[in-house]
């Protein structure tokens, strides 16, 4: 199954089938149709990918690969302010006139240098601003120039109170298991949360359980835990830019919290427990931890394993031996050997992709005891 860059392989009656969950690009159809070995079906949603054979009703084992999908999902960003309180960072429209523009140009350039954003991005935005301003400079009361910016609201938001479990004033609730960690962070620290990513991980685990077989690999850049810094950034034409520049054109991304993904699968609760926690939350309290969650877990339910670094995962799966074999082959030229070595180094080296990228697996333990290979 593919979600943006994810693939799900279903095996039915000995024939391979790929279900691709992403925006359908008709330009690929001709090339795909030329291959008769694999049947490819396009889906807009993961939920529309079948879990059982339409004719026999038998479950179809499914294997899912998500490559750099989770980092593209929307996040909530929370920032600590003076007094130990928290606020959700929101996006607002700032409007300024021509007189303010000259000073803002300097500020944007200085910010671009500090944040290591591309000058092309800031200068392009400035050019648009200058052009718009110039075209109306001779008019009395020149047009205002809209810009997107991050702002902190005066009050808390529902997402902040729910995800960070804080009070109406923004302070961590009594009994919040993360209260001590939140209180220890310095002012201006940023914590990010991605509810859609957690739900997706749970949906994948449920799908594997329904299919009575299969597994999933989630590969992305991130950490084994939440960061206390702002990781949201934008990319335009392979260059890092401000995430709020060029709306609709910039690829906005954020680091993945793999620990949250793991726990969303391994520590799920039932409906009764969920409703009880909601009752406590509505009354401004934190519910006590459940004492029977482990007893209610189905036997050998799919679990999340990892994350491990991409370098460690690929090395344990034999990538070094495979590349060595390819390089030593008589048909491999010196140029091809160099390309193979360079690619291997880029994938494994800690200062390149080897440590920055992480791999998380969702699968059942083999015979109820052994984790998947590579974990």
């Amino acid at each position: 199954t593919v979600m943006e860059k994810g693939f799900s392989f279903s095996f039915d009656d000995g024939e391979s089938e790929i279900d691709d969950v992403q925006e359908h690009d008709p330009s690929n159809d001709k090339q795909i149709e030329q291959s008769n070995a694999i049947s490819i079906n396009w889906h807009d949603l993961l939920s529309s990918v079948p879990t059982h054979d339409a004719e026999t009703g038998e479950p179809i084992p499914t294997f899912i690969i998500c490559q750099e999908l989770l980092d593209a999902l929307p996040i909530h960003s929370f920032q600590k302010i003076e007094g130990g309180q928290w606020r959700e960072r929101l996006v607002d429209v700032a409007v300024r006139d021509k007189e303010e523009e000259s000073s803002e140009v300097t500020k944007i350039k200085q910010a671009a240098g500090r944040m290591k954003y591309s000058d092309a991005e800031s200068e392009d935005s400035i050019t648009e601003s200058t052009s718009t301003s110039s075209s109306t400079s001779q008019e009395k009361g020149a047009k205002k120039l809209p810009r997107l910016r991050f702002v902190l609201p005066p009050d808390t938001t529902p997402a902040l109170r729910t995800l960070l479990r804080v009070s109406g004033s923004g302070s961590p609730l009594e009994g919040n298991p993360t209260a001590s960690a939140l209180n220890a962070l310095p002012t201006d620290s940023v914590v990010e949360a991605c509810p859609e990513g957690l739900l997706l991980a749970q949906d994948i685990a449920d799908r594997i359980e329904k299919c009575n077989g299969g597994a999933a690999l989630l590969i992305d850049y991130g950490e084994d835990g939440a960061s206390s810094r702002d990781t949201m950034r934008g990319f335009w034409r392979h260059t890092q830019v401000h995430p709020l520049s060029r709306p609709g054109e910039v690829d906005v991304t954020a680091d993945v919290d793999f620990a949250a993904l793991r726990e969303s699968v391994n520590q799920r609760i039932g409906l009764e427990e969920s409703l009880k926690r909601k009752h406590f939350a509505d009354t401004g309290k934190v519910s006590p931890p459940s004492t029977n969650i482990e007893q209610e877990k189905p036997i050998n339910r799919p679990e999340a394993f990892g994350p491990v670094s991409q370098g460690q995962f690929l090395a344990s799966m034999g990538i070094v031996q495979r590349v060595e074999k390819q390089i030593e082959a008589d048909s491999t030229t010196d140029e091809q050997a160099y390309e193979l070595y360079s690619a291997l180094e880029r994938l494994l080296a800690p200062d390149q992709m080897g440590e920055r990228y992480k791999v998380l697996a969702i699968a059942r333990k083999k015979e109820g005891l052994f984790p998947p290979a590579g974990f």
Side-chain angles (χ1 to χ4, degrees), residues 166-240:
V166 301
S167 64
S169 64
S171 300
L173 290 169
E174 181 181 354
N176 183 343
T178 63
S180 58
L182 294 174
N183 291 331
L185 292 174
T187 301
D188 293 331
S189 294
V190 174
V191 173
E192 298 165 340
C194 180
E196 287 194 27
L198 307 183
L199 293 174
L200 176 61
Q202 293 178 348
D203 287 346
I204 291 174
D206 289 340
R207 176 169 290 270
I208 293 173
E209 186 170 14
K210 289 179 182 178
C211 293
N212 197 30
L217 285 179
L218 285 64
I219 308 166
D220 224 310
Y221 48 84
E223 302 295 336
D224 187 8
S227 171
S228 59
R229 57 186 175 84
D230 178 14
T231 71
M232 184 165 59
R233 51 203 177 275
F235 290 92
W236 181 67
R237 296 181 180 177
H238 308 289
T239 304
Q240 187 170 343

Side-chain angles (χ1 to χ4, degrees), residues 179-318:
S180 58
L182 294 174
N183 291 331
L185 292 174
T187 301
D188 293 331
S189 294
V190 174
V191 173
E192 298 165 340
C194 180
E196 287 194 27
L198 307 183
L199 293 174
L200 176 61
Q202 293 178 348
D203 287 346
I204 291 174
D206 289 340
R207 176 169 290 270
I208 293 173
E209 186 170 14
K210 289 179 182 178
C211 293
N212 197 30
L217 285 179
L218 285 64
I219 308 166
D220 224 310
Y221 48 84
E223 302 295 336
D224 187 8
S227 171
S228 59
R229 57 186 175 84
D230 178 14
T231 71
M232 184 165 59
R233 51 203 177 275
F235 290 92
W236 181 67
R237 296 181 180 177
H238 308 289
T239 304
Q240 187 170 343
V241 299
H242 193 283
L244 297 184
S245 64
R246 298 179 174 275
E249 299 180 26
V250 169
D251 179 13
V252 180
T253 179
D255 284 4
V256 176
D257 181 354
F258 281 98
L261 292 174
R262 179 183 63 236
E263 296 308 307
S264 71
V265 173
N266 295 345
Q267 300 297 330
R268 277 188 292 176
I269 59 176
L271 178 60
E272 181 179 353
E273 179 72 14
S274 178
L275 293 175
K276 184 171 70 173
R277 291 190 181 186
K278 185 179 185 302
H279 170 72
F280 276 89
D282 291 341
T283 57
K285 302 177 182 179
V286 175
S287 62
S290 175
T291 57
N292 59 352
I293 294 178
E294 290 294 333
Q295 298 176 1
E296 296 173 355
K297 285 185 178 180
I299 298 176
N300 200 21
R301 187 181 70 182
E303 300 179 40
F305 301 88
V308 298
S309 68
Q310 176 177 282
Q312 177 184 339
F313 175 75
L314 293 177
S316 66
M317 297 301 289

Side-chain angles (χ1 to χ4, degrees), residues 27-57:
S27 63
N28 294 330
D29 289 352
K30 185 175 181 180
Q31 179 181 356
I32 292 172
E33 289 173 357
Q34 292 176 354
S35 174
N36 297 322
I38 299 177
S39 172
I40 297 181
N41 303 310
W42 302 94
H43 299 268
D44 294 325
L45 299 171
L46 176 61
S47 58
S48 67
V49 179
T51 58
H52 291 70
D53 185 271
E55 296 182 359
T56 65

Side-chain angles (χ1 to χ4, degrees), residues 7-36:
F7 294 87
S8 150
F9 302 87
S10 302
F11 296 94
D12 180 28
D13 296 332
E15 297 181 357
S16 299
E17 181 173 328
I18 297 180
D19 290 284
D20 187 350
V21 184
Q22 63 177 0
E23 183 178 354
H24 181 204
D25 183 1
S27 63
N28 294 330
D29 289 352
K30 185 175 181 180
Q31 179 181 356
I32 292 172
E33 289 173 357
Q34 292 176 354
S35 174
N36 297 322

